[in-house]
Every structure is written in structure tokens, then in C-alpha cells.
Amino acid sequence: MKGAREIGSEDTIHRGPPVTVSRYGPAKRVNHWITAFSLILLALSGLALFHPTLFFLTGLFGGGQNTRMLHPWFGVVLFISFYILFFQLWKANLFIRDDFRWFTNFNDVIGGHEERLPEMGKYNPGQKLIFWAMALLIVALIVSGLMIWDQYFYTYTAIETKRIAVLTHAVAAVLIVCAFIIHVYAAFWTRGTIRAMTRGSVTGGWAWRHHRRWLRELAGHGRIDSAE
Ligand code: HEM
């Protein structure tokens, strides 16, 4: 069946009432919040090192030296936690043909006319785009970050290479902060989404309205449970 790859191991419809649908188990949620928290720490510590006017942010981390020491370690945590999520979710984030219509009818997405759009699987194309952008940017950040982590890796790259790495690192950091803002804004804007990452489930109405193909696939595969 076309969408079987979009069904996560915990995804289950609970009859209720009210009907709810499990979307993420506890391990995925805890890991997601580690990812989120480490990106926030990275942005704050990175900005502190980025420009003298933002140096005051080092106060959050116990001064300049501590900030410089901690920042790359936050990056290692982000990389590991994100890539655990990545390997659990990448298949559900592959683009399909219908996604093209979602992009070309973006006015209907913004206007809330989902009835005019194709039925969505577990993720809509906007979520998928952010997913792949984050995956690429995190690789760019870790690779360029290791090249300029002079405390451990100074001798591995030439000064000219380090200069390119510093620039790449800064550009990728700005882009991932933009992706982060879009991700968080969309999560709040689409009412009822946040509980997917707090309680692990969404309402049946939310799933019917925003991810109907996913809901149909769960029902079609018999992923229905009688208790909440
Ligand atoms: C305070 C910050 C954040 C909030 C409030 C937040 C909120 C959410 C919510 C509600 C979902 C569930 C969406 C759904 O199932 O439809 C989600 C999914 C996800 N989030 Fe976050 N998030 C935050 C930060 C981050 C960061 C920093 C990253 C990565 C760098 C990230 C990566 C993901 C991924 C990969 C998913 C799974 C959706 C997908 O595969 O497209 N999140 N987030």
C-alpha cells in the first residue's frame, strides 16, 4: 500500500470517545525535546560568539571561555539526537507526486482550504521541506564545526580551509535558525499540533482535517485500539 512507509511504530487510532490518534511514543518525544533544547542553547551560545554586541549572552553559560568550550558539545548533542529522529522518520518524509500540488496551491494552505488540496499522509510537504533542510544544515554545521574546533582538531585542516568552514558555519547557522522559527510557528499556527509532541497524540478531528490519508491508512491497516 502506497502509504505504509508513513505509519510509525506507535501510530494507533484510539476509539475514545473522544477519538485520539497516537503520533509519537515517549522516547521520540524526549529525544525531540533534547534536539529542540540543544538548538536553542546552540543559537544562544553561537550568537554570543558571533558578534561583540552579543557577547553579553556568554553570561548565560558562565563567561566567554565556558561558552567557547560548551558550544561545540551542544552541537554534538544536537547532531546525535537529530539523527536518531532522522533515521526513525525519513521514510515518512519522502516527497510524493501529490506534494507538488500542495506547493502550487499554497494560497489554499494559508487560507485553510484543505478540502481543495490532496489528502495528506503523516507529514505535509512543508513539514517535509523543513525536515530535509534541517538534516542538510545539521550536517553542514557539524562538518564545518569540527573543522574549526581547534582544541581537538587544529592540525587536521589548513587555515584557508578553516576560513571557508567559518563562513559555511555562519551561513548554515542563520538558515537553521530561520527553519527553526518556521517549524515552531507552524506547530503553533496549526492548532492542536503541539500536543503531538507533549502528549504524543492528536485528536481524531485534527488527523481528519490535516492528515486524512495517514488516518485512512491507519484504519486500513487495522491500527485501531479500543481504549484511550
Ligand atoms: C521549541 C522548539 C520546538 C517546538 C515547539 C517543536 C514542535 C514540534 C511539534 C509539535 C512536532 C509534531 C508535528 C507533527 O507531528 O505534525 C514536531 C516535530 C518535529 N520536530 Fe520539532 N519543535 C521544536 C524544535 C525542533 C528542532 C530544533 C528540531 C530540529 C533541529 C525539530 C525537529 C523536528 C522533527 C524532525 C519533527 C518530526 C516531523 C517531521 O519529520 O517533519 N524540532 N516539532
Side-chain angles (χ1 to χ4, degrees):
M1 200 173 176
K2 185 175 162 192
R5 65 164 193 237
E6 297 186 17
I7 299 180
S9 47
E10 307 93 353
D11 302 3
T12 314
I13 301 171
H14 304 279
R15 286 180 208 273
V19 175
T20 57
V21 191
S22 298
R23 213 162 148 84
Y24 301 103
K28 283 197 184 104
R29 278 180 276 147
V30 168
N31 191 33
H32 171 268
W33 292 119
I34 293 173
T35 308
F37 199 54
S38 51
L39 191 87
I40 292 167
L41 292 177
L42 274 162
L44 289 171
S45 56
L47 285 170
L49 301 170
F50 184 67
H51 195 270
T53 54
L54 298 169
F55 189 75
F56 71 93
L57 288 170
T58 57
L60 294 170
F61 304 96
Q65 289 190 344
N66 276 334
T67 309
R68 182 67 188 86
M69 180 273 288
L70 288 169
H71 178 80
W73 287 109
F74 295 146
V76 171
V77 174
L78 176 81
F79 176 70
I80 294 171
S81 69
F82 180 84
Y83 269 87
I84 292 172
L85 271 183
F86 178 88
F87 286 111
Q88 289 164 334
L89 305 177
W90 72 273
K91 277 192 190 148
N93 279 285
L94 291 174
F95 286 98
I96 58 167
R97 199 183 309 229
D98 278 352
D99 291 343
F100 188 67
R101 267 186 59 207
W102 190 92
F103 284 117
T104 52
N105 294 287
F106 199 66
N107 278 346
D108 290 330
V109 177
I110 298 293
H113 293 294
E114 282 167 89
E115 71 284 359
R116 295 186 200 153
L117 297 162
E119 292 184 0
M120 291 290 128
K122 184 160 184 182
Y123 298 115
N124 69 42
Q127 290 175 292
K128 293 178 185 179
L129 198 64
I130 292 291
F131 176 85
W132 291 105
M134 282 172 167
L136 285 177
L137 290 168
I138 288 172
V139 169
L141 284 165
I142 193 90
V143 171
S144 57
L146 289 175
M147 287 178 175
I148 53 177
W149 198 353
D150 286 346
Q151 188 178 359
Y152 301 116
F153 306 111
Y154 180 75
T155 51
Y156 292 85
T157 45
I159 304 269
E160 289 73 19
T161 318
K162 287 185 202 295
R163 286 186 188 137
I164 297 169
V166 169
L167 185 62
T168 309
H169 202 73
V171 172
V174 170
L175 293 177
I176 203 164
V177 169
C178 294
F180 169 78
I181 292 169
I182 296 170
H183 175 67
V184 175
Y185 184 79
F188 280 94
W189 185 67
T190 312
R191 244 197 295 168
T193 306
I194 293 292
R195 61 171 277 172
M197 271 303 170
T198 50
R199 294 154 74 172
S201 67
V202 289
T203 63
W206 182 95
W208 177 254
R209 180 162 178 196
H210 303 298
H211 298 275
R212 196 168 300 176
R213 188 163 54 76
W214 175 63
L215 188 63
R216 286 190 202 283
E217 277 150 15
L218 292 182
H221 281 79
R223 299 285 282 267
I224 307 176
D225 180 10
S226 50
E228 224 294 39

